[in-house]
Amino acid sequence: MALRHLIECHPNGADPVNGQELSADEVIEIQGQASHAVRPKPPVYTSIPSLLSSLQTEWDAMALETFSLKQQLLKTRQELSSALYHHDAAVRVVARLTKERDEARDALSKLSASLGTNNTAAPTTTSHAEPMEVEQPVSTSGSIPDELVRRIQDAQKELSSTRKGRKIPETWASKEEVSSLAETVKTKQLFTSVTSMAVKGSLILSGGGKSQAGVYSIDDQQLVGTAHASGIVTSSIWVNDSKFAVGTKNGSIDVFEYPSFDKLGSISNVHSGALTDLAVLPAGEDLLVSLGKDNIWAIHDINNFTTLFQTQAQTQSSTTRAALHPDGQYFAIGASTGEILILDLTTGSTVETLASNSGSISALVFSEDGRSLASAGTDSPSQAEIWNLARPNDDPRLLQYEALGDGTITGLSFDYSGKFLAACTPAGVEVGWYDKKAKSWIPNVFHATAAAVSLSWGQEARTLATISAKGNIHVFQC
């Protein structure tokens, strides 16, 4: 406003700069904010090092923010994966329960029809099981199929006739050679919670925790391969040179091909508890007999993965161990009360009951000539009873393993000649020898301090393989 007044007061009403005529209307007031000056940048940003430091600080802040976002994304993905897994598991459980319900309804319908009642089962829905997986309940009543009986009897006649005149090869290990057994293989832990093993030639089959079964080669001294079972492995058996089977803690039987370790199929829903023993019937490599802790024993066809017959053992106590006679007609079952049932597989009935005084049966095995049965129990530490099957009511011969301490025998194994009986406990391994002239068993022919839960003889009694509960394999050879 002061500047306008000066221009208006200039003489002659002229522009004070160029002298030209100027009216008051031509004067324009300029609006400004001279009192609000722009503040300059701080001196720290006026140098290049300071600018670089500022840019570095901003970059670090952006990097930290990006890392935080990635962490949140990863956490979200994990939560989503876990939710999908639980959803898938729930769907599988529902499908399995639906299938079992439908099968139970179907079984009830068939049973009602056979009894002539008016009961009707609810309609069933169609369900699709995995290939080669059988989960159908089998009636515990009725008799063993005639075709199966014929096969068992034919095999028994053929095998029993050859045993009468059989000779032990001259190359078979002598007492002195067995006494000189030396440890040649000692492995690190291969499995966990091991309870059994099976030997075929130089191959050892076993398994345990983490639902794994594996084959170890004595010749190559390495694990050939492993197979994933449907549960913790509790028993194992070689079916033939190209096939093996394992029993699991959840009661299923898995069959695998060797050496590919491909799963061929599975039989489940027969045993409600863990399987204790498996055996291959001499009547055919496609036939297995099993015993579970639920007191059920059954015969299975692993060609089409079906159960041909199943029934409950005729005992008031729980079953603990089992053994199959080399001829394939008789099946021995040990119980927690110490009794031993000998069953005829052609009829399913008990033909003999042996009363052991050793307590709950912890080990059971037939001799290869079929004339003897060896057993051990929890109440008789380091002692085996050898029963003469020709006179089963006689008192059994006792073999006290002197070097095995106070441990319970968990594994027994006859060699092919029937002269050597090996036993194992957590304290070690010991071999007893039968002196034919003295008609008595001599202990401590061989002894080793390797703890074991199962053991088996190799070819010509020149190899003895053991496995511990922790999965360590020991091989002794002469």
Side-chain angles (χ1 to χ4, degrees):
M1 293 295 293
L3 181 61
R4 182 185 181 92
H5 176 73
L6 289 175
I7 293 173
E8 291 178 349
C9 293
H10 192 274
N12 304 320
D15 187 338
V17 178
N18 52 25
Q20 294 181 0
E21 186 178 355
L22 179 68
S23 64
D25 296 335
E26 293 177 330
V27 178
I28 300 174
E29 182 179 357
I30 298 175
Q31 299 293 332
Q33 297 180 350
S35 61
H36 296 82
V38 178
R39 179 179 294 181
K41 289 186 177 181
V44 294
Y45 292 104
T46 59
S47 64
I48 292 177
S50 299
L51 289 174
L52 291 177
S53 176
S54 175
L55 292 174
Q56 182 66 44
T57 302
E58 293 178 1
W59 170 263
D60 292 342
M62 184 178 64
L64 288 174
E65 183 180 5
T66 303
F67 176 75
S68 177
L69 290 174
K70 286 185 176 181
Q71 278 190 321
Q72 293 178 4
L73 176 61
L74 178 60
K75 182 178 180 181
T76 303
R77 284 180 174 177
Q78 290 176 341
E79 291 175 351
L80 178 60
S81 176
S82 178
L84 291 175
Y85 174 82
H86 288 298
H87 177 268
D88 181 70
V91 170
R92 289 177 179 271
V93 170
V94 171
R96 186 182 183 89
L97 292 175
T98 302
K99 184 176 185 294
E100 292 177 355
R101 180 204 63 187
D102 296 338
E103 289 171 343
R105 286 176 174 176
D106 183 63
L108 177 61
S109 177
K110 292 179 180 179
L111 180 62
S112 299
S114 63
L115 295 176
T117 64
N118 293 325
N119 294 336
T120 58
T124 61
T125 60
T126 303
S127 60
H128 300 281
E130 295 180 1
M132 303 304 293
E133 177 121 8
V134 177
E135 297 188 358
Q136 57 184 12
V138 181
S139 174
T140 58
S141 60
S143 59
I144 299 176
D146 293 339
E147 176 61 21
L148 177 58
V149 171
R150 183 190 63 78
R151 291 177 61 182
I152 294 175
Q153 290 176 340
D154 290 347
Q156 190 274 336
K157 289 178 183 179
E158 180 180 354
L159 293 174
S160 61
S161 62
T162 59
R163 294 185 189 281
K164 294 179 181 179
R166 78 171 191 166
K167 296 182 179 180
I168 306 301
E170 295 181 358
T171 57
W172 207 261
S174 63
K175 173 188 174 184
E176 290 73 21
E177 289 174 317
V178 171
S179 300
S180 65
L181 286 170
E183 186 177 70
T184 58
V185 176
K186 180 181 179 181
T187 72
K188 61 181 181 180
Q189 181 177 357
L190 300 178
F191 306 101
T192 59
S193 306
V194 174
T195 58
S196 69
M197 66 180 295
V199 176
K200 178 179 68 65
S202 63
L203 299 176
I204 298 175
L205 168 65
S206 187
K210 296 184 180 179
S211 304
Q212 282 190 329
V215 176
Y216 180 85
S217 172
I218 298 176
D219 293 341
D220 299 333
Q221 295 191 16
Q222 66 178 1
L223 192 65
V224 178
T226 58
H228 186 73
S230 57
I232 296 176
V233 177
T234 57
S235 57
S236 54
I237 189 73
W238 283 101
V239 178
N240 52 37
D241 291 341
S242 61
K243 195 181 297 181
F244 65 87
V246 297
T248 65
K249 191 174 182 179
N250 58 22
S252 64
I253 302 171
D254 298 332
V255 182
F256 298 90
E257 187 177 27
Y258 180 81
S260 67
F261 293 92
D262 293 332
K263 187 175 180 180
L264 300 177
S266 178
I267 300 175
S268 59
N269 210 27
V270 174
H271 296 281
S272 59
L275 263 76
T276 58
D277 284 288
L278 279 174
V280 180
L281 285 175
E285 294 178 345
D286 57 332
L287 298 176
L288 295 184
V289 58
S290 65
L291 174 70
K293 286 189 176 181
D294 54 1
N295 288 22
I296 290 177
W297 65 272
I299 301 176
H300 316 276
D301 184 344
I302 59 173
N303 271 346
N304 51 22
F305 297 93
T306 57
T307 300
L308 304 177
F309 177 79
Q310 76 175 70
T311 190
Q312 201 124 13
Q314 298 175 0
T315 176
Q316 298 300 319
S317 57
S318 59
T319 54
T320 56
R321 300 296 297 176
L324 182 66
H325 191 276
D327 290 345
Q329 183 171 347
Y330 299 104
F331 189 56
I333 296 177
S336 59
T337 55
E339 63 179 351
I340 301 173
L341 309 178
I342 300 181
L343 313 176
D344 187 340
L345 294 183
T346 60
T347 62
S349 60
T350 302
V351 296
E352 192 71 47
T353 300
L354 307 178
S356 171
N357 296 319
S358 60
S360 179
I361 302 300
S362 58
L364 198 62
V365 63
F366 281 98
S367 63
E368 289 295 327
D369 60 7
R371 299 176 183 176
S372 302
L373 175 69
S375 65
T378 56
D379 293 346
S380 299
S382 305
Q383 179 179 281
E385 296 177 309
I386 297 95
W387 305 82
N388 183 358
L389 297 180
R391 295 186 297 272
N393 292 324
D394 293 350
D395 291 334
R397 300 176 185 268
L398 301 180
L399 175 56
Q400 186 70 37
Y401 291 92
E402 300 174 349
L404 292 185
D406 297 330
T408 298
I409 293 177
T410 55
L412 290 169
S413 179
F414 278 107
D415 76 315
Y416 178 79
S417 69
K419 294 182 179 179
F420 300 106
L421 179 60
C424 62
T425 71
V429 180
E430 186 175 334
V431 176
W433 173 69
Y434 183 69
D435 187 345
K436 190 173 182 180
K437 293 182 179 179
K439 295 183 179 181
S440 62
W441 284 90
I442 309 300
N444 209 18
V445 173
F446 167 77
H447 170 68
T449 56
V453 292
S454 183
L455 75 172
S456 180
W457 289 97
Q459 296 177 352
E460 297 184 337
R462 296 181 180 276
T463 301
L464 181 62
T466 72
I467 192 167
S468 69
K470 295 181 179 180
N472 304 104
I473 292 176
H474 297 261
V475 179
F476 305 89
Q477 294 176 312
C478 59

